[in-house]
Amino acid sequence: MPISLRYVVLRLLQIVPTFLLIMVVMFVLVRLLPGDPTSALLGERATDEAVARINAQYGLDKPILVQFGVFLASFFRGDLGDSIVDKTPVLGLILSRLPVTLFLTALAALLSVVMAVPLAFVAALRHGSGTDSAIRAGFQVGLSTPVFYLGILLLTLFAAHLHWFPVGGYGEHFGDKLYHLFLPALTLALSLSAVLMRNLRNSIVEVLEAEYVDFARAKGLKARVVLGKHVLRNAVIPTVTLLGLNIGTLFGGAVITETVFAVPGAGRLMIGAIFGRDYPVILGLTLALALLVSLVFLVTDLVQAALDPRVSA
Amino acid sequence: MKKLIGALFSIALAVAVTLPAAAATKGGKLIYARYADSLLLDPVFNDANVDIWITTNLYDTLFLPTDDGKDVQPGLATAWQAADDGLSYTITLRQGVKFADGTPMTADDVKWSIERAANPKNGIFNFLLTSIGSVAVTAPDTVVIKLKQPDPVLIKALATFNTAILPMKAYEASPGATDEEKAKTFAEHPLGTGPFKFVSWERNVSMKLARNENYWRKDAAGQQLPYLDEIEFVTIPDDATRILKLQAGEVDGAEFIPYARVAELKADPNLDMQLWPSTKVNFLTLNVRPTFKDGSKNPMADPRVRQAMNYAVDKDALIKIVTFDVAKPMTSFMSSSTPYVNTSGPAFPFDAAKAKSLLADAGFASGLDVTCLALAGSADETAILSTVQQMWSQVGIRLKIEQVDNPTRTAKYRAGDFQMRVSGWTDDIADPNEIVSYFAYSPNIQSMHTGWEDKKVNEIFEASAKEMDAGKRAAQYKQIQDSYMEAPPIIPLYESPYPVAFRKSVKGFVQIPLGNNIFVGASVEK
């Protein structure tokens, strides 16, 4: 497995220009949105003097280049500024909320793999049968149901009526958090698992028909070895890529899921920041997410290289 | 002196009403679900209801609003006396009051707190205290507030959240270079004389308060207040989730129940659905300047068009459709809980024929087109506007609905770049002076950014701010309301209560018309 340290360092360095570009674009874009943090904060009643005072306090009355300079200077000191709405440091807000979302997305990714892989195998081995159609139809429903609606349905059934799970919130310790985040993670996982299942099923069907599998079988290898070593390993490569690419989408889904399930994560922080035009929070959170998604892409590529010797790394 | 005795009498009456007569269960914890978390727990620098409505559980003011929201009762002060010239007030402080950490409250704390609240550089609510010149401590239990001009509303302003008494030394010792920075750090661990003391706060998740063992107040039976050991406020932004949590018994109470769910929760045997009379008024704000921002002619500059628009809305039907009959029609631009409200009858009773003839008189026999800004995703605003759209189409007013998000709407509104929008208002003080200064007094914010101006109304309002005779003030406010309501720059729709639901076991919660959530008399029965 030819993964060189040089490759990893190079890929990490490639993240830097992407990151800087996102920083500049977002800094300008949020300021181009109609409305501003001050009037969003002070509401309808505020007098012009009150608005001017708050604008001056956060430097929003200065030219955009000056504002960017101030932001850059504090950025390199490790300071992302203060939230205009919450009046607390942005870095602290992100550090307190992002782990929640990471936990949620990791759990959702895990759940979707756990659901998708075995069923994809069953569907692929019996492709064309009634079982195959039933599995695909079931996942199709999961994929096409809007996340917020699915969330309310799961909450009503499993939390309010059956009392198996709490109605939203976020627990105190690890086990408690797992218990609280199970339903929201399941909500997120259902649509992703449908995508993964369909993809994996199709690639397994394809691999099963490949000549090297016929050859392996002809050699007299056991079915378990053929499936595990030859079929799964080859079929799973496109699915890993797909999972990596979809982590960004999971973050997006978390925005809605966290609101429905009252989970205090980065998704809810982002929604609040956008509706409050809280520029420092929007920018800080976007940068944190961009960094995370870049790292996930890197890991995906490394895993792919490990699985597929043809991909050089 | 007659004035003082009168005041004391109404105070005594009010205290008797406030406190529950039956013995309440002591102890226990109450979990209350809110739609949004607080932002800043400082009474002077905060600017939102999410702070205002709960800070009164942590901090006390010299006087406290009564439960009907119209008057005041003694708080950290026990009595007051106005000088004959109306230019100073002598206030007697309650003795033996302690902050939650056990340090005694002093007259210096009072002087400092009032002066901080009145400082025009501090926050956005100091406009309620513009008459204050200085505060002097004349005895350990007496402060004298000197005024720049007579102020008929001073005592009510001293019952409003921003004049809460804070511990001067603890506040000044908080880290921070400016007063506002100190406010931020102090508000991370607020300390007051209120019924509850601050314990912990995880933003957007939960805030925990515990009983203030040093609280000064007892109930009518002589039992120490508050009853509860703990309150936890949890933030659950989604309406459906908040209600599910209440139904599942994971929380004891929840605020902002959507009107569509009120009947369902009323029928739930485990729940107590409460609708508290409020000062919340819901209306459409109209731009009445001669031209719109794009230079086109504005039909709503003509008073007859505004009258027609008002007559063409069937308020009773609207209340049924939008609020499921929870709200009630308005008689003025202010709520029925606001003192001096004009209650002579419903404003602009539905009359389509009259609306048509007014439009014809104004030269719009063939109808007219208007556009209203609506908050994207707001079920209430969509329901209001699609109903009004139907009603107006009957008289030839063609309404277009433009959906935008809140910051966009606020920016357009502040710039006068709008034709119409959906609005709401709640009073912060038990007096009409605040709502009138925004709605009808144009020098403030151009009458809620409508561009409406009546010089006579401005003069009457300025005179009323110094008028010490209650009868004359009532007459002034009647005159202001009559002039304003003739062809108002708004369409008053309805006044709506605060919808709050509790488990049946919870007793004694009060939400006053100003919105304050009062937990001092709340208890959880076994």
Side-chain angles (χ1 to χ4, degrees):
Chain A
M1 270 155 274
I3 300 172
S4 65
L5 185 66
R6 191 169 161 271
Y7 173 78
V8 175
V9 172
L10 224 94
R11 281 291 309 267
L12 282 174
L13 285 177
Q14 278 172 7
I15 294 178
V16 174
T18 318
F19 189 78
L20 287 177
L21 185 71
I22 290 174
M23 186 190 281
V24 175
V25 169
M26 279 308 289
F27 195 88
V28 177
L29 267 188
V30 291
R31 282 164 177 75
L32 288 181
L33 284 175
D36 56 84
T38 314
S39 38
L41 178 72
L42 297 182
E44 303 163 22
R45 303 187 189 182
T47 57
D48 293 339
E49 298 82 65
V51 171
R53 192 166 46 76
I54 302 283
N55 274 336
Q57 192 189 330
Y58 288 95
L60 296 169
D61 52 346
K62 297 201 172 66
I64 192 162
L65 269 178
V66 177
Q67 290 186 42
F68 190 64
V70 170
F71 172 78
L72 265 190
S74 54
F75 177 81
F76 286 115
R77 284 196 311 268
D79 178 6
L80 292 171
D82 278 4
S83 157
I84 297 171
V85 176
D86 269 337
K87 298 171 172 72
T88 50
V90 172
L91 194 63
L93 272 177
I94 292 176
L95 289 179
S96 73
R97 309 288 286 273
L98 204 53
V100 180
T101 304
L102 288 179
F103 195 161
L104 177 62
T105 28
L107 190 57
L110 184 72
L111 280 177
S112 58
V113 168
V114 166
M115 286 188 290
V117 173
L119 287 167
F121 255 96
V122 173
L125 291 175
R126 299 179 188 178
H127 64 103
S129 72
T131 319
D132 181 25
S133 305
I135 291 173
R136 286 157 70 194
F139 274 101
Q140 195 58 38
V141 172
L143 181 65
S144 44
T145 312
V147 171
F148 65 91
Y149 183 65
L150 197 63
I152 294 287
L153 278 185
L154 292 176
L155 267 184
T156 310
L157 181 62
F158 293 111
H161 286 293
L162 296 173
H163 296 285
W164 291 357
F165 292 99
V167 187
Y170 187 54
E172 306 275 328
H173 52 84
F174 182 80
D176 201 23
K177 283 177 179 158
L178 208 59
Y179 178 52
H180 275 85
L181 290 184
F182 185 78
L183 282 185
L186 184 66
T187 310
L188 269 180
L190 280 174
S191 57
L192 178 60
S193 66
V195 176
L196 294 182
M197 196 289 295
R198 214 164 42 181
N199 190 275
L200 187 59
R201 173 199 167 274
N202 292 347
S203 33
I204 295 172
V205 169
E206 224 169 86
V207 172
L208 280 175
E209 283 159 8
E211 285 175 5
Y212 62 84
V213 173
D214 285 341
F215 180 67
R217 281 197 183 123
K219 273 203 307 189
L221 287 178
K222 279 183 189 146
R224 189 152 44 91
V225 179
V226 175
L227 281 181
K229 198 164 177 189
H230 295 276
V231 178
L232 182 61
R233 182 148 173 190
N234 283 296
V236 93
I237 293 168
T239 311
V240 168
T241 316
L242 196 66
L243 180 64
L245 287 176
N246 270 289
I247 294 292
T249 319
L250 273 189
F251 282 135
V255 170
I256 300 163
T257 317
E258 286 175 5
T259 306
V260 171
F261 287 90
V263 176
R268 240 173 82 193
L269 183 66
M270 185 60 119
I271 282 278
I274 292 171
F275 285 141
R277 296 288 188 272
D278 198 341
Y279 298 156
V281 177
I282 302 177
L283 190 60
L285 205 48
T286 312
L287 292 177
L289 289 178
L291 193 64
L292 270 174
V293 171
S294 308
L295 290 177
V296 169
F297 283 179
L298 174 59
V299 170
T300 310
D301 285 353
L302 294 179
V303 171
Q304 207 179 1
L307 287 171
D308 187 351
R310 287 168 303 178
V311 179
S312 65
Chain B
M1 200 60 207
K2 215 168 86 185
K3 212 170 2 184
L4 176 64
I5 292 166
L8 287 178
F9 180 70
S10 73
I11 281 167
L13 204 69
V15 174
V17 185
T18 307
L19 304 169
T25 303
K26 211 162 160 70
K29 175 179 178 178
L30 184 146
I31 306 177
Y32 190 62
R34 304 169 72 202
Y35 84 102
D37 199 3
S38 296
L39 299 168
L40 178 67
L41 295 175
D42 177 73
V44 172
F45 283 99
N46 74 60
D47 26 50
N49 283 343
V50 287
D51 298 318
I52 296 168
W53 288 5
I54 66 154
T55 49
T56 43
N57 292 296
L58 294 167
Y59 305 112
D60 288 315
T61 37
L62 292 177
F63 301 94
L64 305 175
T66 52
D67 288 356
D68 67 1
K70 293 187 177 182
D71 217 327
V72 297
Q73 52 180 316
L76 297 179
T78 51
W80 54 272
Q81 188 167 16
D84 288 338
D85 61 2
L87 285 173
S88 69
Y89 279 76
T90 303
I91 292 177
T92 310
L93 303 177
R94 187 179 298 278
Q95 286 305 284
V97 175
K98 286 178 180 162
F99 288 103
D101 68 348
T103 48
M105 180 196 80
T106 66
D108 287 324
D109 292 320
V110 174
K111 168 187 157 69
W112 171 85
S113 297
I114 304 289
E115 286 183 342
R116 186 173 86 98
N119 184 338
K121 289 186 189 127
N122 290 351
I124 57 169
F125 290 103
N126 50 64
F127 70 92
L128 294 169
L129 304 166
T130 46
S131 65
I132 293 181
S134 63
V135 185
V137 176
T138 56
D141 69 340
T142 313
V143 295
V144 175
I145 300 181
K146 293 204 173 68
L147 303 182
K148 292 180 251 179
Q149 62 179 53
D151 182 355
V153 198
L154 182 76
I155 295 302
K156 283 182 173 172
L158 296 178
T160 303
F161 63 91
N162 63 325
T163 57
I165 306 305
L166 270 59
M168 174 175 69
K169 281 194 184 118
Y171 182 98
E172 292 294 357
S174 307
T178 63
D179 198 48
E180 184 152 15
E181 282 176 29
K182 282 182 194 290
K184 274 190 220 172
T185 46
F186 178 80
E188 290 294 315
H189 307 279
L191 175 62
T193 63
F196 295 93
K197 67 177 178 201
F198 177 87
V199 176
S200 67
W201 185 11
E202 197 184 336
R203 278 176 185 268
N204 286 295
V205 182
S206 103
M207 186 193 298
K208 291 179 180 154
L209 309 183
R211 170 214 310 279
N212 171 7
E213 301 290 349
N214 296 307
Y215 191 51
W216 52 271
R217 218 162 148 202
K218 289 187 168 61
D219 70 7
Q223 202 180 356
Q224 178 66 38
L225 287 168
Y227 304 120
L228 291 170
D229 288 336
E230 282 174 78
I231 305 180
E232 181 176 358
F233 294 114
V234 292
T235 307
I236 303 172
D238 189 81
D239 291 340
T241 312
R242 207 159 58 244
I243 293 173
L244 277 175
K245 245 177 142 56
L246 179 68
Q247 287 170 330
E250 290 178 28
V251 301
D252 302 298
E255 65 174 2
F256 289 109
I257 305 299
Y259 299 130
R261 308 282 305 267
V262 167
E264 175 200 339
L265 266 56
K266 260 186 184 160
D268 190 325
N270 297 317
L271 301 182
D272 180 9
M273 179 69 229
Q274 304 172 355
L275 295 166
W276 292 95
S278 85
T279 53
K280 173 92 191 270
V281 288
N282 303 268
F283 52 97
L284 304 182
T285 305
L286 315 178
N287 186 342
V288 303
R289 296 168 182 93
T291 54
F292 292 128
K293 199 82 175 173
D294 64 6
S296 60
K297 199 168 174 300
N298 178 0
M300 293 176 291
D302 188 324
R304 289 167 296 187
V305 172
R306 304 202 294 269
Q307 289 167 337
M309 287 176 149
N310 267 298
Y311 280 121
V313 175
D314 182 347
K315 283 72 147 187
D316 294 324
L318 185 82
I319 287 168
K320 278 203 179 70
I321 295 166
V322 178
T323 76
F324 300 83
D325 243 354
V326 164
K328 61 180 191 181
M330 292 161 68
T331 58
S332 170
F333 59 93
M334 47 180 83
S335 77
S336 59
S337 299
T338 308
Y340 301 128
V341 60
N342 194 346
T343 52
S344 52
F348 298 99
F350 176 57
D351 191 338
K354 202 166 180 178
K356 268 187 190 161
S357 83
L358 280 162
L359 283 175
D361 286 352
F364 292 101
S366 58
L368 60 95
D369 295 274
V370 281
T371 303
C372 188
L373 295 178
L375 190 60
S378 160
D380 273 359
E381 295 202 5
T382 309
I384 288 172
L385 289 177
S386 48
T387 311
V388 169
Q389 197 177 38
Q390 286 296 315
M391 291 168 175
W392 278 358
S393 71
Q394 305 300 311
V395 300
I397 303 169
R398 294 172 293 270
L399 177 65
K400 219 176 102 196
I401 303 167
E402 188 187 341
Q403 303 235 6
V404 290
D405 79 344
N406 191 38
T408 309
R409 176 171 71 171
T410 308
K412 279 174 163 275
Y413 168 71
R414 294 187 58 84
D417 183 15
F418 72 106
Q419 298 191 5
M420 212 181 274
R421 62 164 288 176
V422 185
S423 302
W425 168 280
T426 45
D427 298 345
D428 296 299
I429 184 168
D431 194 80
N433 68 340
E434 184 192 20
I435 186 168
V436 167
S437 77
Y438 281 97
F439 276 56
Y441 180 63
S442 58
N444 190 3
I445 53 166
Q446 306 127 52
S447 309
M448 293 295 268
H449 296 284
T450 60
W452 186 85
E453 183 172 37
D454 184 330
K455 295 215 161 64
K456 186 85 185 120
V457 165
N458 291 348
E459 277 169 32
I460 301 171
F461 177 70
E462 281 164 15
S464 77
K466 295 176 234 172
E467 181 55 65
M468 297 303 288
D469 184 293
K472 282 186 188 155
R473 263 191 107 222
Q476 286 165 332
Y477 276 109
K478 176 159 189 336
Q479 227 180 326
I480 291 173
Q481 291 175 81
D482 287 345
S483 299
Y484 185 88
M485 290 304 286
E486 189 140 311
I490 62 169
I491 314 280
L493 299 174
Y494 51 80
E495 67 168 78
S496 50
Y498 300 125
V500 179
F502 280 96
R503 303 285 302 174
K504 273 265 160 67
S505 53
V506 177
K507 306 277 180 231
F509 167 83
V510 173
Q511 187 166 15
I512 66 170
L514 301 174
N516 302 11
N517 289 201
I518 298 177
F519 288 95
V520 63
S523 63
V524 180
E525 304 300 321
K526 295 276 151 43

